[in-house]
Amino acid sequence: AQSVSQHNHHVILSEAASLELGCNYSYGGTVNLFWYVQYPGQHLQLLLKYFSGDPLVKGIKGFEAEFIKSKFSFNLRKPSVQWSDTAEYFCAVSSWGKLQFGAGTQVVVTP
Amino acid sequence: DAGVIQSPRHEVTEMGQEVTLRCKPISGHDYLFWYRQTMMRGLELLIYFNNNVPIDDSGMPEDRFSAKMPNASFSTLKIQPSEPRDSAVYFCASSLAPPGPAANYGYTFGSGTRLTVV
């Protein structure tokens, strides 16, 4: 069965620190990979997506993610976070239409 | 496009009452999804439709939950009778037909319905 694992449930860091959120998936076929962000009280918004090609994907707001096929991983990174990046981040995998989410990582950025 | 539209935004109901959540997907999207978000279980896929046909309803928790998509522009998720443990945020999402690396392929989420059953 398809599954998505996010390594950390909660991350607290200071402004200007670097962020990396881990995501691993298990599925043997072709998958599409996503990172979504949910700001407090809001709905899910797409940060970036990977389908094929360059495994380093750049998204909005300075985020990027790297797809490592051999490790079944799709880790999210941002070199320097801001207070406004406080949110919950979800990794998601889709295969033939069905989109499945990881448990999410709550990120708190302190001033 | 106005995006995926859900109604109501908030719903408070008494235990035992019927609750109906509504969703209007983005025009032209072939897939529609219903998710439930809770603190304990995160985001759970309840059911999804392709071209108005339910494809996978294995995530529907029990018979009290039902979902329909009578046409390409409207879907409902009904809970009857509702229970306090159904309290959650329910999201609807839609997407174009996969698979494929189309530049505009992706999932768009509605703003959600926050359901509270007391």
Side-chain angles (χ1 to χ4, degrees):
Chain A
Q2 186 174 316
S3 69
V4 184
S5 299
Q6 292 185 235
H7 304 164
N8 308 96
H9 292 297
H10 293 92
V11 172
I12 301 174
L13 60 167
S14 302
E15 277 190 311
S18 64
L19 172 70
E20 180 160 359
L21 302 181
C23 174
N24 286 91
Y25 66 94
S26 63
Y27 189 73
T30 302
V31 295
N32 300 320
L33 301 161
F34 306 80
W35 275 98
Y36 281 85
V37 61
Q38 187 177 29
Y39 298 104
Q42 296 189 26
H43 63 283
L44 290 154
Q45 300 172 43
L46 181 66
L47 271 180
L48 47 79
K49 58 188 177 185
Y50 173 80
F51 297 138
S52 63
D54 189 343
L56 186 61
V57 180
K58 294 194 183 298
I60 61 171
K61 305 186 180 187
F63 285 91
E64 64 179 30
E66 184 176 12
F67 170 56
I68 303 179
K69 188 174 181 179
S70 60
K71 295 184 178 180
F72 295 90
S73 69
F74 189 56
N75 293 351
L76 180 71
R77 297 195 291 254
K78 185 170 183 178
S80 176
V81 295
Q82 300 173 316
W83 176 78
S84 58
D85 293 322
T86 294
E88 190 159 15
Y89 293 80
F90 293 90
C91 181
V93 175
S94 83
S95 179
W96 294 97
K98 185 174 180 177
L99 182 67
Q100 185 164 338
F101 287 89
T105 299
Q106 182 67 48
V107 174
V108 175
V109 180
T110 59
Chain B
D1 198 317
V4 176
I5 300 173
Q6 290 186 248
S7 64
R9 289 295 304 274
H10 300 274
E11 176 81 31
V12 181
T13 190
E14 290 185 342
M15 182 174 64
Q17 296 298 307
E18 176 181 294
V19 175
T20 300
L21 312 181
R22 298 172 178 79
C23 176
K24 176 178 166 52
I26 291 176
S27 177
H29 278 193
D30 302 288
Y31 282 72
L32 183 140
F33 306 80
W34 282 101
Y35 288 88
R36 178 171 67 177
Q37 185 178 33
T38 61
M39 289 289 290
M40 294 297 293
R41 294 185 295 272
L43 272 161
E44 303 171 276
L45 177 63
L46 299 177
I47 185 172
Y48 75 100
F49 297 82
N50 178 23
N51 293 324
N52 312 339
V53 177
I55 303 300
D56 184 349
D57 65 355
S58 59
M60 296 285 264
E62 43 195 280
D63 292 344
R64 297 184 296 107
F65 285 69
S66 62
K68 295 181 180 178
M69 192 164 186
N71 56 62
S73 59
F74 183 65
S75 176
T76 59
L77 178 67
K78 187 176 292 186
I79 309 172
Q80 167 62 22
S82 58
E83 297 181 3
R85 61 193 168 119
D86 301 330
S87 297
V89 180
Y90 291 82
F91 287 103
C92 177
S94 70
S95 78
L96 291 167
N104 59 346
Y105 167 55
Y107 301 80
T108 302
F109 284 78
S111 298
T113 295
R114 182 173 295 279
L115 173 65
T116 303
V117 183
V118 298

